[in-house]
Amino acid sequence: MVWRPTLPTKDNNVRLEVRKTYKLYIGGAFPRSESGRSYVVNDAKGKFLANASQASRKDARDAVVAARKAFGGWSGKTAYNRGQVLYRIAEVMEGRHEQFTLEVAASEGLSASKARAVVDASIDRWVWYAGWADKLAQVVGSSNPVAGPYFDFSLPEATGVVAVLAPQDSSLLGLTSVIAPAIVSGNTVVAVSSYERPLPAVTLGEMMATSDLPGGVVNLLTGSASEIGPWLASHLDVNAIDLCGISDAEEARELEALAAENLKRVRRPAAEDWSESPGMSRLTQYLELKTVWHPIGV
Amino acid sequence: MDLWIARTPTAGIRIRLPSVTTLDSGVDSLADVTSSEDRLRRFLLGLPGVDQVGAEARAATLSTRSIKTTAKAYALDLAIRMIDLTTLEGQDTPGKVRALCAKAKRPDPADPSAPQVAAVCVYPDLVATAKHELRGSGINVASVATAFPSGRSSLAIKVQDTKDAVAAGADEVDMVIDRGAFLSGRYGLVFDEITAIREAAGDAHLKVILETGELVTYDNVRRASWLAMLAGADFIKTSTGKVSPAATLPVTLIMLEAVRDYHETTGLHIGVKPAGGIRTAKDAIKYLVTVNETAGPDWLDPELFRFGASSLLNDLLMQRTKLATGHYPGPDYFTLD
């Protein structure tokens, strides 16, 4: 008698569930944490959802190296091109709408319709920031009247590597709202996702890897912001840090003190409603103004 | 035959045989080996083959060692002291060499405890500039010579090239072997060239570049190592840095085995210098582990082991700063070179 494999049918449903092992997103690749650690992610009701990698300080260090490597290429692209890439992220997200909705619903304990609205808002936010890419210089930059034979103008340029401790509560809309304004102007980002709700961030990383975003422009670490935060805050190759994922005021103050060593731009944590129109404050947070004096009439 | 050479297994497992002072097969001493090209060829071709898989596995195992805290601090400082800070570009200017010399003397301006490097390595025409900058610092000036990097010119020109470098004040001469002659089996020609340059170099330290990336096989690396040592090299060096692959860990392992065995036979210490492609502190520490485990702790000394490198120094300094301050440093805070 010839052996035949048992195929799943309606009656003998033997198909095994594919259990996913979530990993980090560093430099366009998906490595496990260097530390080998992982942690259990539960849904809003406390039921097991998945295991996620718990990033260590060395993962953060590797992510900063990747972000620094990507900075030259990304900030050197034309603003128009960056806008297209951000718009493409929104496009690819649209295709993954269902998956994002399920994950946001499970992580944040929202109903399906509310979760869908959150995903919609996140996609719209990418589009909104994408539109800013080639308008930022006109709005923020200026030509300056000077008392001399010079054409004097100021232009915004990217600050460099931005560390982001993402919001703990809003796992997708919040994350989008802190990453997009940093990268649209040419910065590269190392983000630590929400600790208890990392799945939308992991999926965002998987989605970015298949969009047009160059590897290393966004690096996503899942794990504890309190553990990784100090290493990013004191890292001399990080140029700015967003502390919005830190709720403890004393802890935020300590991180700010560490960040002072190389005069990082620091965004302090504040109560924010992510569903509201974001305004320009995050957009202009990670910019350096370059002023040029160009001789005329000589 | 070659009983004493039977002590050169590759995979790091050393088979200890009783010390043999008289060599078999009519070869009474190493001097006899070099008495004619025929004998030299017989000797070199009689060297045991390298176990390629074993050598690579051994190198891979050695590079998994974890070096932390005080051992790491020691290794970082040692690696800095072993660097031949190198600039070998067509666009080198006296200004660039002066900047490099300043960095050699004081690698980390923010931290006076950072040690100096071993030497600065330049083209012969810039030796005088480097010598002037480094006077009184104790740092050697090394010069490449002999139609570096290809080695394709007549012996007379190579000798003159060497003499020029030494006359300009070079303390160390890095010569290249004639790979074309070596690969076509004219070992005597290669040997005679090295001896001639040895003579022309006078008191200067002679490093012989094998250019292992062009020798293709590990067996050739072993033969070239022995050939260079027999001809009077003070150092054997992997590569010019102009050919890829440059230095690799297995190649360095084989060269370290060669100097170890040469030492056991003759009592002489020959140095090893991997050059090209070593850019991170992590890589440098892998090399140091390999040195210690292969040739022994005697070779953990700038007199006997060097790194030919330029960007490696910044990474070592950054790791050093990380150990000292507890914070990750950034490349913005170190000089470009």
Side-chain angles (χ1 to χ4, degrees):
Chain A
M1 197 179 139
V2 181
W3 179 84
R4 287 202 170 80
T6 317
L7 296 171
T9 64
K10 221 173 190 180
D11 304 324
N12 69 338
N13 194 0
V14 295
R15 185 174 179 275
L16 290 173
E17 197 184 338
V18 179
R19 292 209 168 186
K20 224 175 138 180
T21 311
Y22 291 103
K23 292 192 269 189
L24 310 172
Y25 181 51
I26 298 174
F30 295 97
R32 290 189 176 81
S33 169
E34 162 279 336
S35 63
R37 299 176 306 173
S38 63
Y39 68 103
V40 171
V41 178
N42 292 328
D43 66 11
K45 292 180 187 132
K47 262 182 28 197
F48 176 82
L49 202 57
N51 288 304
S53 292
Q54 188 172 359
S56 67
R57 65 176 171 91
K58 290 195 176 172
D59 296 316
R61 174 198 63 186
D62 293 347
V64 172
V65 171
R68 174 59 64 195
K69 202 170 157 204
F71 177 71
W74 179 242
S75 60
K77 284 188 191 302
T78 62
Y80 176 66
N81 192 190
R82 278 200 301 274
Q84 285 181 313
V85 171
L86 259 67
Y87 188 77
R88 173 83 183 138
I89 292 176
E91 273 184 358
V92 183
M93 262 182 104
E94 194 71 54
R96 290 244 202 171
H97 202 298
E98 201 59 28
Q99 186 185 358
F100 276 116
T101 305
L102 287 174
E103 285 173 354
V104 169
S107 301
E108 300 181 19
L110 301 178
S111 69
S113 60
K114 279 194 178 147
R116 201 169 297 123
V118 166
V119 177
D120 284 345
S122 306
I123 295 171
D124 293 350
R125 189 129 310 165
W126 280 108
V127 175
W128 192 79
Y129 276 117
W132 267 110
D134 54 0
K135 301 170 187 70
L136 199 58
Q138 296 90 309
V139 175
V140 180
S142 58
S143 69
N144 315 312
V146 287
Y150 297 98
F151 174 40
D152 185 298
F153 56 98
S154 301
L155 284 173
E157 289 193 346
T159 296
V161 175
V162 178
V164 170
L165 308 179
Q168 299 295 332
D169 48 354
S170 182
S171 57
L172 183 63
L173 183 55
L175 182 69
T176 299
S177 307
V178 292
I179 291 179
I183 64 172
V184 68
S185 53
N187 297 292
T188 53
V189 163
V190 176
V192 183
S193 76
S194 164
Y195 181 78
E196 288 179 358
R197 306 174 182 87
L199 294 199
V202 172
T203 305
L204 190 70
E206 290 179 356
M207 187 221 80
M208 281 170 167
T210 52
S211 75
D212 293 338
L213 195 72
V217 173
V218 172
N219 303 277
L220 292 165
L221 307 173
T222 52
S224 158
S226 300
E227 182 198 340
I228 304 168
W231 293 102
L232 289 171
S234 65
H235 199 308
L236 293 186
D237 206 22
V238 172
N239 305 104
I241 187 164
D242 184 342
L243 300 175
C244 75
I246 302 289
S247 49
D248 182 62
E250 177 58 22
E251 192 183 347
R253 203 191 59 76
E254 279 167 19
L255 289 177
E256 195 172 341
L258 285 172
E261 172 70 22
N262 71 333
L263 306 178
K264 281 183 194 63
R265 296 190 174 278
V266 177
R267 188 170 174 102
R268 291 175 178 159
E272 299 193 56
D273 182 357
W274 301 110
S275 59
E276 279 189 6
S277 174
M280 286 191 64
S281 77
R282 276 206 153 75
L283 262 180
T284 52
Q285 183 89 41
Y286 314 116
L287 296 177
E288 307 296 330
L289 271 188
K290 179 172 81 180
T291 297
V292 180
W293 295 62
H294 193 288
I296 48 172
V298 183
Chain B
M1 72 170 274
D2 293 342
L3 191 53
W4 57 278
I5 284 181
R7 284 178 292 168
T8 56
T10 31
I13 310 142
R14 297 177 65 178
I15 305 159
R16 296 227 171 247
L17 296 177
S19 157
V20 181
T21 45
T22 312
L23 309 176
D24 276 357
S25 75
V27 182
D28 291 328
S29 71
L30 281 179
D32 211 31
V33 163
T34 59
S35 59
S36 76
E37 173 157 12
D38 192 40
R39 285 194 165 172
L40 180 65
R41 177 178 293 110
R42 263 174 42 209
F43 170 79
L44 291 176
L45 294 178
L47 286 168
V50 176
D51 173 355
Q52 181 178 344
V53 176
E56 284 167 3
R58 175 70 175 159
T61 312
L62 288 174
S63 59
T64 59
R65 295 277 174 87
S66 181
I67 308 292
K68 300 288 182 203
T69 62
T70 49
K72 185 173 183 184
Y74 170 77
L76 292 174
D77 278 8
L78 181 61
I80 293 175
R81 291 199 292 126
M82 286 174 164
I83 286 183
D84 281 4
L85 200 58
T86 303
T87 182
L88 295 170
E89 302 291 337
Q91 59 190 2
D92 284 347
T93 58
K96 165 105 189 263
V97 170
R98 279 195 288 271
L100 202 71
C101 291
K103 184 160 187 173
K105 287 192 279 192
R106 188 86 181 266
D108 187 350
D111 182 0
S113 72
Q116 294 184 332
V117 303
V120 168
C121 183
V122 293
Y123 272 116
D125 61 325
L126 290 163
V127 167
T129 310
K131 192 73 188 169
H132 182 259
E133 287 301 311
L134 293 173
R135 66 192 184 281
S137 68
I139 300 173
N140 282 349
V141 175
S143 169
V144 295
T146 69
F148 180 92
S150 66
R152 301 238 76 96
S153 61
S154 71
L155 180 60
I157 287 176
K158 291 180 184 178
V159 167
Q160 192 54 46
D161 198 14
T162 310
K163 283 183 175 164
D164 281 355
V166 174
D171 308 294
E172 304 173 4
V173 170
D174 290 27
M175 69 166 288
V176 290
I177 63 165
D178 184 342
R179 281 89 75 188
F182 183 88
L183 290 171
S184 53
R186 287 171 288 161
Y187 298 135
L189 183 64
V190 181
F191 182 87
D192 291 344
E193 263 195 17
I194 300 174
T195 341
I197 302 297
R198 164 79 279 176
E199 203 170 301
D203 291 336
H205 238 53
L206 182 68
K207 304 193 200 115
V208 177
I209 303 173
L210 310 181
E211 195 61 297
T212 54
E214 291 184 344
L215 297 185
V216 188
T217 66
Y218 292 146
D219 287 349
N220 276 344
V221 172
R222 177 171 285 174
R223 286 186 197 119
S225 301
W226 276 93
L227 179 57
M229 290 188 293
L230 291 170
D234 295 313
F235 254 84
I236 48 178
K237 173 174 168 183
T238 60
S239 337
T240 58
K242 304 289 181 197
V243 169
S244 181
T248 66
L249 205 50
V251 156
T252 311
L253 175 77
I254 286 156
M255 289 165 65
L256 284 163
E257 285 175 351
V259 298
R260 175 194 71 199
D261 295 330
Y262 189 79
H263 170 67
E264 285 189 10
T265 314
T266 64
L268 297 173
H269 286 90
I270 306 292
V272 176
K273 175 178 171 186
I278 306 166
R279 295 200 177 82
T280 63
K282 210 172 208 173
D283 283 346
I285 290 176
K286 287 176 188 174
Y287 277 88
L288 293 182
V289 169
T290 308
V291 170
N292 190 47
E293 297 294 314
T294 309
D298 281 6
W299 269 263
L300 287 178
D301 187 305
E303 288 293 308
L304 289 173
F305 194 78
R306 296 276 181 87
F307 291 109
S310 46
S311 55
L312 171 65
L313 180 55
N314 270 5
D315 200 59
L316 287 166
L317 293 173
M318 284 204 281
Q319 293 298 319
R320 217 174 164 275
T321 310
K322 162 72 178 66
L323 279 186
T325 63
H327 304 315
Y328 287 121
D332 289 354
Y333 301 87
F334 297 91
T335 54
L336 295 171
D337 51 14

